[in-house]
Amino acid sequence: MQNTDTLFHVIDHKQFNRSILDNLCNLTTVIRTKAKSREGLLALRSLLADKRAMLYFTQPSTRTFLSFNTACQILGIQTSEIRDPSTSSEIKGESLLDSIRTFSSYVDLIVMRTLEEGIAATSANLMNSIERPVPIINAGSGKDQHPTQALLDVYTLEHGFEKRGGIDKKVIGMMGDLKRGRTVRSLSYLMKHYHNVKLVFIAPPAFQIGEDIKKELDAHEVEYLETETLEDVLPELDALYVTRMQDEHDTHNESKAVDFSRYSIGIEELKLLKQDAILMHPLPRRDEIHPDVDKDPRAMYWRQERNGMWMRAAIIAKIFGIEASIQNI
Ligand code: ASP
């Protein structure tokens, strides 16, 4: 495997280029394959057994938390966690940055998710200024960024299109609350690294993709289309990435003002989707994908969820520079 740039903090999409993306996808597959045998799993578990990680997740999380925790276990890293800031010294008035600095005294890696934007970036800056910096991984920052989700989504797309030349030249639909969906935002940014991808943003006008993303896509000549009507575009999609309404970010019940039921997939909608298309969702879902769809071979979201654990193991492995040791297992 070609070794590309190193990785320390993982904060946002700007850090990734095509060679790192390809490198991380290859590493993910290697780890996933090696972990299939007991010997492989035990060997992986010995690689970072001298490391400790702090999972600081003050915004609710099921998949991201569990997949990071499991990814650490796969590589032998011991974890501690804070999920409720009222149990930490923040309640005594300690600043979040002082708390982060304290974590760095005890662990070798900090993975963090916060409701507010920009905290992971500020924490990484703090680390860069202290004597014993530890890497910070952004596991979701408000409605802005979710870079590790974007990486696992890239992996799921690449894998799903394995026999069809990967992501290049595909038409990828993104549907739902695109304005406040950080997964869609982060994934859209990464699409500029693939050749001739066309993005189709399907959302009610009030929840369409942000101007900042469109500007970035324009600057990189990525073709995109915005529409309100799923049925008009469904037959041309190679992948459809469905998301839920992000109403935790409502300031005055704005999500209640739209009929979001139009932005959902059931058996009828599946009939319009190409036979070899893939259907993704970062989860949790509400009514956007009917459970009957789960048994369709195009439904990829449960695999996407598992891919998260493997990709996060690959990210951590790259941060600690153990790619060659993994290859040698
Ligand atoms: N789990 C994803 C996130 O944390 C998607 C979602 O919550 O809708 O952003």
Side-chain angles (χ1 to χ4, degrees):
M1 191 195 309
Q2 185 206 359
N3 194 358
T4 51
D5 319 50
T6 54
L7 208 54
F8 192 67
H9 304 300
V10 175
I11 303 301
D12 66 27
H13 65 94
K14 292 191 207 87
Q15 307 170 236
F16 299 101
N17 56 33
R18 180 68 183 262
S19 71
I20 307 184
L21 292 172
D22 289 347
N23 179 249
L24 280 170
C25 286
N26 290 337
L27 187 58
T28 302
T29 300
V30 174
I31 296 175
R32 192 165 59 88
T33 313
K34 303 268 184 194
K36 283 191 174 137
S37 72
R38 181 180 153 80
E39 301 75 53
L41 207 47
L42 290 177
L44 283 168
R45 211 183 286 166
S46 70
L47 293 178
L48 294 175
D50 58 333
K51 304 286 182 221
R52 293 179 293 270
M54 163 58 90
L55 306 182
Y56 178 83
F57 274 61
T58 54
Q59 192 193 15
S61 174
T62 302
R63 272 150 292 272
T64 308
F65 178 82
L66 281 176
S67 62
F68 264 115
N69 201 25
T70 316
C72 285
Q73 288 166 359
I74 289 169
L75 297 170
I77 303 178
Q78 294 182 55
T79 55
S80 342
E81 64 187 65
I82 288 184
R83 302 199 66 175
D84 177 358
S86 71
T87 64
S88 84
S89 281
E90 280 179 65
I91 205 76
K92 299 183 197 164
E94 181 169 61
S95 73
L96 177 55
L97 284 183
D98 278 0
S99 295
I100 300 289
R101 187 166 184 163
T102 301
F103 304 155
S104 74
S105 301
Y106 303 124
V107 300
D108 306 285
L109 169 70
I110 298 171
V111 184
M112 59 190 299
R113 161 174 292 200
T114 57
L115 187 61
E116 306 78 26
E117 297 170 23
I119 308 276
T122 316
S123 304
N125 287 339
L126 167 72
M127 287 299 125
N128 294 341
S129 71
I130 65 175
E131 206 180 310
R132 185 184 175 273
V134 305
I136 302 280
I137 300 181
N138 177 1
S141 48
K143 48 190 182 313
D144 184 31
Q145 291 276 325
H146 197 347
T148 64
Q149 175 77 43
L151 294 171
L152 78 90
D153 291 339
V154 160
Y155 180 73
T156 304
L157 286 165
E158 283 283 58
H159 214 247
F161 297 133
E162 207 170 19
K163 298 194 177 82
R164 296 165 58 201
I167 297 175
D168 294 336
K169 301 192 191 134
K170 299 298 179 295
V171 181
I172 301 175
M174 313 260 193
M175 180 167 83
D177 183 347
L178 309 182
K179 185 178 167 197
R180 306 175 297 183
R182 57 191 176 190
T183 64
V184 163
R185 291 175 50 77
S186 288
L187 183 59
S188 302
Y189 274 120
L190 292 187
M191 288 300 103
K192 63 175 185 252
H193 299 300
Y194 295 86
H195 304 296
N196 299 322
V197 167
K198 181 176 169 189
L199 297 178
V200 182
F201 296 117
I202 308 148
F207 294 94
Q208 254 304 352
I209 197 79
E211 290 302 322
D212 54 340
I213 309 269
K214 289 196 268 179
K215 216 169 139 196
E216 180 93 355
L217 296 174
D218 286 337
H220 291 86
E221 295 179 3
V222 178
E223 194 183 339
Y224 63 86
L225 175 85
E226 292 168 88
T227 178
E228 275 183 69
T229 320
L230 172 64
E231 290 70 24
D232 289 354
V233 290
L234 202 42
E236 69 161 307
L237 303 179
D238 295 302
L240 176 59
Y241 191 99
V242 184
T243 66
R244 71 175 170 93
M245 180 58 90
Q246 308 283 312
D247 43 17
E248 66 268 42
H249 298 296
D250 275 9
T251 45
H252 42 271
N253 276 338
E254 54 269 40
S255 43
K256 300 265 176 322
V258 293
D259 173 14
F260 213 62
S261 62
R262 293 169 56 204
Y263 302 94
S264 61
I265 296 284
I267 297 298
E268 282 312 303
E269 287 76 20
L270 270 188
K271 291 181 188 154
L272 292 175
L273 192 64
K274 284 182 184 170
Q275 278 313 313
D276 55 0
I278 61 179
L279 188 58
M280 294 169 62
H281 193 306
L283 303 174
R285 73 172 153 188
R286 292 174 181 169
D287 305 324
E288 314 83 42
I289 300 187
H290 194 280
D292 285 352
V293 173
D294 291 5
K295 36 189 186 304
D296 191 282
R298 291 166 288 185
M300 207 60 77
Y301 29 93
W302 299 113
R303 188 177 304 175
Q304 179 184 358
E305 174 178 88
R306 279 196 303 284
N307 287 342
M309 171 179 76
W310 301 120
M311 171 53 87
R312 287 172 174 133
I315 294 165
I316 295 168
K318 193 163 177 66
I319 288 175
F320 288 107
I322 55 164
E323 293 152 280
S325 312
I326 290 175
Q327 290 291 351
N328 291 333
I329 287 174

